[in-house]
């Protein structure tokens, strides 16, 4: 059979962590010969609807993207093209018959990385640097904080938003400022934070992607997001002509391998064994459903 | 070699110049397209069909032209009076903010009255945003290029604060976006399965009105006199301060309306990434139109068409879609140069 | 930590210098252009171009200083374009500036994507390292601050002195100031207004591009879309703030950076109930306030934004 | 007899601007050590010829030799190197830079690492002493009086070792004392072997200072002869091609007072030269001349009567009443006609059409607007009538004002002002830069307005003009106005002394 025609519409460049996960999964599928993949990146809010329509008009079977901010328009397009499958990053519900949603629900591994952070900090001061306090970011930070608190109830947290998605120098400065305040473990939501940690010899926790190879002495652990399960499921449904409006969020959960704790790698022997054991136990509890990480979208605040 | 002003613009030049500009822009961009290994001729074909070649393309071009006409008018009005308003982007966002604040439910107004109130409110918000810099200019002599530029950042942060704070839509799952406009406060769509909305009519009508104001009324006379020679205008009795403030309200108001038309006609609610720099593009459009309000319509449609077409082209031939902005920029610069040569000729010495 | 401790900490001042460095380059570059009578609104794009070219050449194997030089050359090329449009052709400086910004920005992104079509994490380079412990670190008081800086910051500080010397102590500087004040006067004394303005715009643009390259070669190690993030526009405001004087430009850049650095630290000082946007706004609001306070004393280059066409009145 | 080698030789210089032939095959020699006066009506092509000589413009054809060597065309640098120096009709100085910097510009190779200020300052001071052109090298040009700026311009040329000095209307803005100082400088220079080309519309000066005159008319050289034995009237006839009659002023009994100032003081921020305790009454049918060195408060007095500034204290009565507000519009409605000092900067909006400028003071009147819309037909008709009445040379009322010559611009302003039969006219330097034909026209119209009953305040630095027109004359100095005296009871010499204030040596320094 001909490869399935799939198109993606991204509002940011494909280097952005979040989108890079989708792009990577789709590129892999393309390389396997499964799909024909086209994409547009950095599509402005005002253009998003047009690009979606263009791809739908061109006969793509599946259109993927993130519609935060263009929810209404995207749903209008889906209504106009009932034969096209739409799988969109969104905080909202799916829309029958052809508009499915997903999101980066990796709060579970974030909780685990929080535990590691709580165990590794010597000053009991942990810093978090984010772009904007949006739900996608908040829920991971909150899970991280909860995890750290479980291991280290005295830990205090400093949270800072730089007001930009792409300003590593600024993220770096925010991280430097935290290190000056005694923070010794940093949650690196943005690019730039790990660099500050590396320069100052403190630890960092990765988010969404594994960057330990670049920072072997710095990045202790990372909460990974993997879009492969989500994409695989969607492709399967489209091929079988059974695609319908569904919430794909669960495919980002650990039990579907959508979320994972990165291997400890260079830190394998630097993390205390009892901490590792605690994390392992919690991981099992999450997987077997006996522990549920709360999804908390409220903006995290610095401790007093 | 030097440039010498022509006594009159020869007819052939006003036709040949834009054509030459487009040709030059295309040749320059052909090099870039070729650099990525894509087929150049196919790229050009899709460029035109993508911008103007189908019902869908024309609809998209006109949709994009709508806010551009309004911000283009905003710049044309201000620049004509030598008020260098670089802040249309901020004024646009404040207009949009006012529109959603008024149009998402708090007013108990009959349906027919709501939309006009929303539009007026947005215009007023945009106008007030420029009034500040205008007052600083007239009272303290503070350079408005800088203040309006800086205000763009302040306004954007303010809108962000509103959208994450008091104006956040509780139904938006925590996303920083405003509540949706009420259906009565939305601008109707003009064509089925297309995004063209009544904002286009508003924009075109306003271009006509601004032209009338500029060239036929005593207010327009005052604005032009002030722009051309402030000292002579003041000497003749033009109330300079008042005129500057009037121009500020009008220019900012037009930019504010651009924001209102975007939320009420296209987006439905306000987010922080609503405008891809429409405010800045307005300046470009105003200058392409040589500050002529009716020319603004043509310039806006052209700029919108080039962008929409080039964006479609990038997908059709598989080149990075940043080419669309490159092509817009190159055609703009070529167009400006070509227009110069309709007014000037090269002469030895 | 109270404000006084904060103001006395070496970390704060190290941060201030780092944040200020690209602003110093950009402001000096813009100042040079404006002193010659050209408002260069292309700055935001030229900084982006510099950031890309500097980074990409290092990524392709050049050494860091070559990267800086190539960034400067790219800036010069962009300056050549902006200069040709505004000086001999005399087009509106607002609109060409915006056009050049759009062109340089989108061209940078296009080239980046052509060069690196399939990246999922931004590739990085080994950037300039801070001086660290050494002779500099042993200096009293400022040693701790300087040790954390990279060579480009020193270049920026030297550039302030060099530009000031150029403008006020050399015939070329006098020519630059003269073409910005009264081009007809310079022309009448046999100075080519076109050449001086073109040169100033190109040199200024080269400085801006180096400011951009600082972000990818010193402050960070990768190129990002939107990376300049309005720093160029800030420089335009800083030039006015500085009344077109290099020394004051340095002061303005440091002041702005101080607001920015304090803003980060105050924001981290615990939940004060103040939205974070208020902190981010502070530098812009304070810039406007400063402009109002000093507006009466600002002496514009008289021919700023006015094209000079020989033989036209 | 062998001719001595001339300093300068122009051969068949021709220059066109579009359809207009600005210089038509002009050939002209300048001998060493002579002062040649170049005469001609406005637009005759004098400035164009000098601009070609100095390399600002490229001639369409013709050649130039300086001291026997051909001069590279269109290069000011080559002209300077050949020993030419030019003082332009509009000064070419940067106000924000110092005198020294203005002089130094372009004198050093651009790539030198140092300006060499100290040496330059010494040289400038020495030159100033030698030619009687002293100015403070470190003063900002913005702080200098017009006369001092003139000196800087001449110093610029001398600093470059100019052997031939071109002065384009150098005295248009100078006081008699300043002009006299300039002439003595010129004589010193000629004594040193320099040659001078001198353009002026003030024919008395031409007769007094030049050794030879050359006359341009419509771009052609129409006459060339020694000055000796020529007087003002003869020169005028040579220039215009027919005799020029001086306007006649009939004695008239003064009417009721139109403007009465009592102990008026104007000062405050933004006022450069304040007015102190000024009292003046101007009657209908009367012209009061205000003589004075520029910068002594004339501008403020003009701004006061124009409605641009309000008195700080004192009483301002117009036609017997105090105006409610001090605004231009108020003055216009009350019947004040205003002729501003600078027609380009204040008088007209160059980029608007002629008809628009002609209604600029009364566009709010019912005659020209209805419901906020301009009555374009009425305005154009009004403009057409004025253009005919005041003999404005232009293609149509829709032509762009900027393209008119100075004389025609002045006629527009006169037309706009006089057509409303103002009861009081402020005429501030109404003849600056105009040729004698245009001057006669302006004088004639002002005198006619006086006969019709207007009171006229005439501010001028040209004492000939003041004496020719005024019924009474007052002198302004340092913001104070002397009591007006009847014209018959003063002489030029007395006025000159009064203008200089307490001591004559102050003249030219009062800025
Ligand atoms: N830059 C120019 N472009 C076009 N035409 C010009 C230009 N300069 C001068 N002219 C034309 O050349 C003619 C001669 O002008 P010029 O300035 O030489 O007169 P002038 O004799 O110096 O007059 P004035 O006594 O008023 O100074 C003018 O009438 C005008 O039409
Ligand atoms: N750029 C130009 N293009 C065309 N014509 C010009 C230009 N500049 C000047 N002129 C022409 O030059 C002529 C004389 O101009 P100029 O300014 O020398 O007048 P003027 O009588 O000397 O006035 P003033 O003494 O007030 O400056 C006018 O007829 C005008 O049409
Ligand atoms: Mg002249
Ligand atoms: Mg003249």
């Amino acid at each position: 059979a001909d490869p399935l025609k799939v198109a993606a519409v991204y509002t940011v460049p494909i280097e952005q962590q979040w989108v890079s996960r989708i792009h990577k999964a789709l590129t892999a599928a393309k390389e396997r010969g499964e799909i024909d993949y086209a994409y547009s990146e950095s599509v402005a809010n005002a253009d998003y609807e047009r690009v979606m329509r263009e791809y739908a008009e061109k006969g793509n079977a599946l259109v993927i993207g993130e519609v935060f901010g263009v929810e209404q328009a995207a749903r209008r397009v889906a209504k106009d093209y009932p034969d096209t499958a739409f799988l969109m990053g969104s905080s909202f519900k799916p829309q029958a018959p052809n508009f499915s949603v997903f999101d980066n629900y990796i709060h579970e591994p974030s909780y685990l990385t929080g535990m590691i952070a709580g165990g590794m900090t010597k000053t009991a001061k942990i810093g978090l640097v984010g772009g904007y306090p949006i739900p996608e970011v908040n829920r991971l930070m909150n899970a991280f904080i909860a995890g750290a608190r479980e291991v280290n109830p005295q830990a205090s947290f400093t949270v800072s938003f730089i007001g930009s998605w792409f300003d590593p120098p600024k993220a770096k400065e925010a991280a430097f400022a935290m290190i000056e305040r005694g923070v010794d473990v940093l949650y690196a939501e943005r690019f730039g934070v790990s660099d500050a940690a590396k320069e100052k010899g403190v630890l960092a926790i990765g988010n969404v992607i594994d960057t330990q190879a670049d920072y072997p002495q710095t990045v202790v652990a990372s909460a990974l997001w993997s879009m492969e399960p989500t994409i695989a499921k969607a492709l399967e449904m489209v091929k079988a002509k059974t695609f319908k409006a569904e919430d794909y969020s669960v495919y980002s959960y650990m039990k579907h391998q959508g979320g994972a704790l990165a291997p400890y790698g260079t830190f394998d022997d630097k993390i205390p064994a009892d901490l590792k054991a605690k994390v392992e136990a919690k991981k099992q509890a999450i997987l077997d459903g006996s522990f549920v990480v709360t999804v908390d979208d409220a903006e995290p605040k610095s401790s007093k | 070699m030097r440039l010498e002003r022509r006594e009159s613009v020869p007819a052939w030049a006003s036709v040949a110049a834009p054509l030459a500009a487009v040709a030059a822009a295309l040749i320059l961009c052909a090099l870039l397209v070729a650099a990525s290994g894509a087929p150049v001729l196919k790229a050009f074909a899709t460029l035109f069909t993508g911008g103007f070649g189908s019902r869908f393309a024309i609809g998209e071009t006109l949709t994009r032209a709508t806010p551009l006409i309004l911000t283009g008018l905003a710049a044309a009005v201000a620049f004509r009076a030598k008020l260098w308003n670089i802040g249309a982007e901020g004024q646009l966002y404040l207009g949009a903010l006012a529109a959603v604040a008024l149009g998402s439910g708090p007013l108990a107004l009959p349906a027919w009255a709501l939309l006009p109130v929303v539009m007026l409110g947005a215009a007023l918000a945009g106008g007030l945003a420029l009034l500040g810099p205008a007052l600083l200019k007239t009272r303290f002599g503070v350079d408005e290029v800088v203040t309006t530029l800086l205000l763009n950042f302040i306004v954007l942060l303010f809108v962000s604060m509103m959208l994450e704070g008091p104006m956040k839509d509780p139904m938006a799952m925590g996303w920083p976006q405003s509540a949706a406009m009420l259906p009565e406060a939305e601008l109707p769509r003009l064509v089925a399965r297309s995004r063209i909305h009544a904002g286009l009519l508003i924009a075109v009508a306003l271009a006509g009105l601004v032209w009338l104001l500029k060239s036929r009324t005593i207010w327009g006379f005052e604005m032009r006199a002030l722009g051309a020679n402030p000292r002579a205008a003041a000497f003749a009795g033009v109330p300079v301060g008042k005129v500057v403030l009037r121009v500020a309200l009008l220019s900012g108001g037009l930019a504010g309306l651009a924001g209102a038309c975007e939320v009420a006609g296209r987006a439905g609610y306000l987010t922080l990434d609503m405008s891809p720099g429409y405010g800045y593009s307005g300046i470009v459009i105003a200058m392409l139109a040589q500050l002529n309000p009716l020319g603004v319509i043509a310039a806006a449609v052209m700029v919108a068409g080039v962008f929409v077409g080039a964006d479609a082209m990038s997908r059709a031939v598989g080149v990075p879609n940043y080419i669309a902005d490159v092509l817009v920029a190159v055609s703009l610069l070529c167009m400006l140069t070509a227009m110069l040569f309709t007014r000037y000729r090269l002469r030895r010495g | 930590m109270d404000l006084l401790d904060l103001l006395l900490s070496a970390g704060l001042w190290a941060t201030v210098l780092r944040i200020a460095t690209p602003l110093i380059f950009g402001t000096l570059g813009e100042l040079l252009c404006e002193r010659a009578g050209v408002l260069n609104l292309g700055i935001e794009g030229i900084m982006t171009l510099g950031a890309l070219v500097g980074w990409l050449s290092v990524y392709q194997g050049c050494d860091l200083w070559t990267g800086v030089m190539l960034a400067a050359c790219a800036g010069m090329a962009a300056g050549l374009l902006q200069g040709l449009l505004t000086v001999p052709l005399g087009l509106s400086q607002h609109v060409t500036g915006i056009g050049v910004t759009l062109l340089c920005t989108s061209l940078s992104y296009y080239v980046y994507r052509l060069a690196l079509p399939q990246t999922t994490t931004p590739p990085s380079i080994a950037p300039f390292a801070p001086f660290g412990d050494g002779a500099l670190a042993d200096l009293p008081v400022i040693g701790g601050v300087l040790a954390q800086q990279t060579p480009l910051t020193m270049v920026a500080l030297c550039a302030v002195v060099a530009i000031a010397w150029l403008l006020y102590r050399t015939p070329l500087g006098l020519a630059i100031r003269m073409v910005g004040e009264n081009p007809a006067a310079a022309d009448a004394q046999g100075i080519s207004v076109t050449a001086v303005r073109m040169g100033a715009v190109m040199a200024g643009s080269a400085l801006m591009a180096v400011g951009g390259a600082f972000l990818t070669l010193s402050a960070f190690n990768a190129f990002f879309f939107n990376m300049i993030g309005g720093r160029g526009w800030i420089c335009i405001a800083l030039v006015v703030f500085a009344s077109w004087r290099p020394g004051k430009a340095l002061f303005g850049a440091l002041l702005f950076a101080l607001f920015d650095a304090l803003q980060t630290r105050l924001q981290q000082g615990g939940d004060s109930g103040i939205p974070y946007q208020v902190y981010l706004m502070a530098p812009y609001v304070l810039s406007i306030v400063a402009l109002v306070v000093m507006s009466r004393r600002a002496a514009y280059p008289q021919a700023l934004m006015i094209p000079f066409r020989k033989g036209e009145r | 007899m062998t001719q001595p080698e001339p300093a300068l030789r122009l051969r068949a210089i021709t220059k066109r601007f579009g359809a207009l032939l600005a210089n038509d095959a002009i050939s002209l020699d300048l001998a060493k050590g002579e002062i040649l006066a170049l005469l001609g009506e406005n637009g005759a092509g004098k400035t164009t010829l000098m601009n070609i000589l100095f390399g600002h413009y490229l001639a369409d054809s013709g050649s130039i030799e300086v001291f026997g060597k051909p001069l590279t065309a269109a290069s000011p640098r080559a002209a300077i190197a050949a020993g030419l120096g030019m003082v332009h009709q509009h000064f070419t100085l940067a106000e924000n830079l110092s005198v020294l910097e203005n002089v130094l510009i372009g004198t050093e190779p651009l790539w030198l690492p140092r300006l060499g200020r100290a040496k330059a300052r010494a040289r400038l001071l020495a030159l100033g002493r030698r030619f009687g052109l002293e100015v403070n090298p470190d003063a900002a040009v913005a702080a200098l009086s017009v006369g001092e700026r003139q000196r800087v311009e001449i110093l610029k040329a001398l600093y470059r070792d100019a052997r031939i000095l071109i002065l384009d209307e150098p005295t248009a803005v100078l006081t008699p004392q300043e002009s006299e100082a300039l002439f003595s400088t010129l004589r010193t220079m000629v004594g040193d072997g320099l040659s001078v080309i001198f353009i002026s519309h003030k024919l008395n000066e031409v007769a007094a200072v030049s050794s030879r005159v050359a006359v341009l008319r419509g771009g052609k050289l129409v006459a060339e002869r020694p000055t000796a034995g020529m007087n003002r009237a003869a020169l005028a006839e040579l220039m215009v091609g027919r005799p020029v009659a001086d306007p006649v002023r009939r004695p008239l009994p003064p009417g009721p007072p139109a403007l009465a100032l009592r102990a008026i003081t104007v000062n405050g921020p933004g006022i450069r030269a304040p007015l102190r305790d000024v009292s003046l009454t101007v009657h209908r049918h009367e012209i009061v001349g205000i003589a004075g060195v520029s910068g002594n408060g004339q501008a403020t007095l003009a701004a006061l009567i124009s409605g641009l500034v309000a008195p700080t204290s004192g009483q301002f009565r117009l036609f017997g009443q105090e105006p409610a507000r001090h605004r231009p519009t108020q003055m216009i409605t009350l019947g004040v006609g205003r002729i501003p000092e600078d027609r380009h900067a204040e008088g007209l909006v160059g980029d608007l059409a002629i008809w628009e400028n002609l209604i600029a003071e009364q566009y709010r009147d019912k005659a020209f607007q209805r419901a906020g819309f301009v009555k374009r037909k009425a305005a154009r008709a009004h403009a057409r009538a004025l253009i005919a009445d005041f003999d404005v040379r232009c293609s149509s009322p829709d032509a762009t004002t900027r393209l008119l010559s100075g004389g025609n611009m002045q006629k527009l302003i006169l037309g706009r002002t006089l057509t409303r039969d103002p009861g009081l006219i402020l005429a501030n330097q109404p003849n600056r830069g105009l040729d004698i034909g245009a001057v006669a026209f302006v004088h004639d119209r002002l005198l006619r307005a006086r006969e019709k009953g207007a009171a006229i305040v005439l501010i001028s630095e040209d004492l000939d003009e003041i004496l020719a027109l005024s019924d009474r004359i007052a002198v302004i100095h340092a913001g104070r106005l002397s009591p007006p005296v009847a014209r018959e009871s003063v002489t030029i010499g007395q006025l000159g002394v009064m203008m200089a204030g307490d001591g004559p040596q102050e003249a030219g320094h009062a800025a």
Side-chain angles (χ1 to χ4, degrees), chain C residues 87-244:
Chain C
V87 181
L89 293 185
L91 294 171
S92 151
Q93 298 180 2
H94 288 104
V95 67
T96 51
I98 289 175
V100 167
T101 283
L102 185 62
L103 178 66
C104 289
T105 313
S106 52
L107 196 62
S108 301
Y109 296 170
Y110 186 79
V111 168
Y112 180 81
R113 184 55 78 232
L114 281 190
L116 302 157
Q118 288 299 343
T119 52
T120 46
T121 51
S124 58
I125 53 148
F128 282 107
F131 293 113
D133 301 331
L136 271 180
D138 298 335
L139 290 175
V141 190
I142 54 168
V145 176
L146 291 185
Q148 297 186 45
Q149 306 304 323
T150 53
L152 278 182
T153 301
M154 297 301 144
V155 173
L157 295 177
C158 295
V160 176
V161 180
I163 297 282
W165 176 273
L166 170 78
L167 282 179
Y168 297 109
R169 290 271 180 269
T170 70
L172 182 59
L174 177 57
I176 292 173
R177 285 185 292 143
M178 185 61 89
V179 300
E181 293 284 348
N182 187 344
D187 182 61
Q189 299 311 324
I191 287 176
S192 163
V193 176
T194 310
V196 173
R197 283 192 167 174
M198 288 292 294
V201 172
M202 287 173 67
S205 302
L207 281 173
M208 296 169 189
V210 172
F214 172 84
L215 291 175
T216 47
L217 297 182
S218 241
F220 200 59
N221 56 15
F223 176 78
F224 276 81
F225 296 85
N226 250 331
M227 189 155 187
I228 305 301
R231 286 178 177 87
W233 306 133
I234 305 287
C235 293
I236 305 241
L238 283 176
V239 173
V240 181
F241 176 87
S243 323
W244 292 270

Side-chain angles (χ1 to χ4, degrees), chain A residues 83-98:
Chain A
D83 298 332
T84 309
F86 292 91
L87 175 61
M88 294 291 168
S90 162
S91 311
F92 289 83
K93 295 272 169 284
Q95 167 187 295
N98 60 338

Side-chain angles (χ1 to χ4, degrees), chain C residues 311-313, chain D residues 17 20 22-23 40-49 57 89 168-169 201 433:
Chain C
E312 182 171 303
R313 279 184 279 182
Chain D
F17 290 111
L20 182 116
N23 285 167
E41 300 181 83
N42 291 126
K46 308 177 293 291
T47 301
T48 304
L49 186 66
Y57 292 168
Q89 187 167 358
D168 194 351
E169 296 193 33
H201 292 297

Side-chain angles (χ1 to χ4, degrees), chain B residues 2 4-5 7 82 211-239 242-243 246 345 347-349, chain D residues 15-16 18-19 56-58 60 306 308 328-329 332 338-340 342 344-352 356-357 359-361 363-364 368-369 372-374 376 402 416:
Chain B
R2 74 168 55 147
E4 188 185 273
R5 206 191 274 262
E7 279 101 67
K82 293 235 166 68
W211 177 82
L212 205 64
L213 176 79
K214 181 213 94 173
S215 56
R216 291 286 184 269
T217 68
I218 60 172
W219 279 20
F221 176 77
E222 290 176 337
M223 288 177 191
R224 285 181 295 128
L226 176 68
N229 186 343
R231 255 184 86 192
F235 183 84
V238 171
K242 251 191 235 165
V243 178
R246 226 183 270 148
R345 78 178 72 156
R347 199 151 181 256
R348 201 173 53 90
Chain D
K15 173 79 182 170
R16 284 176 188 282
H56 288 309
Y57 292 168
L58 176 66
D60 299 331
S306 303
L308 292 167
T329 41
I332 294 165
R338 303 149 328 136
I339 300 170
D342 186 336
H344 302 278
E346 262 194 333
L348 298 168
V349 182
D351 286 331
L352 293 188
E356 290 180 302
N357 270 301
I359 61 162
E361 287 191 336
Y363 61 89
R364 290 185 210 76
F368 299 117
Q369 64 109 1
F373 282 81
V374 178
R376 291 152 61 87
R402 176 168 40 82
R416 176 172 87 185

Side-chain angles (χ1 to χ4, degrees), chain A residues 13 40-47 49-51 53-55 57-58 68-72 76 80-81 91-92 132-136 297, chain B residues 56 60 64 164 171-177 180 189 193 195 262 266-269 271 273-274 276 278 307-308 311-312 315-316 321-322:
Chain A
S40 284
E41 60 181 323
S42 303
V43 175
N45 175 302
D47 301 318
E49 182 177 343
R50 170 165 48 80
V51 179
R53 280 181 192 274
E54 255 186 65
Y55 279 133
E57 288 277 349
K58 285 207 188 112
F68 311 105
V70 281
E71 215 51 77
Q72 275 189 2
R76 214 162 24 220
D80 284 347
Y81 297 92
S91 311
F92 289 83
Y132 293 99
I134 56 160
E136 269 55 26
D297 287 350
Chain B
F56 174 71
E60 282 300 329
R64 197 180 172 88
E164 283 174 24
M171 311 298 290
M173 317 292 288
W175 276 86
Q177 65 189 39
R189 302 252 157 154
R193 285 176 64 125
R195 294 201 285 169
E262 280 296 279
R266 182 183 62 74
Y269 48 88
T271 55
D273 54 0
M274 186 188 70
Y278 287 142
F307 180 84
V308 170
D311 196 34
R315 274 182 289 284
N321 51 351
Y322 303 109

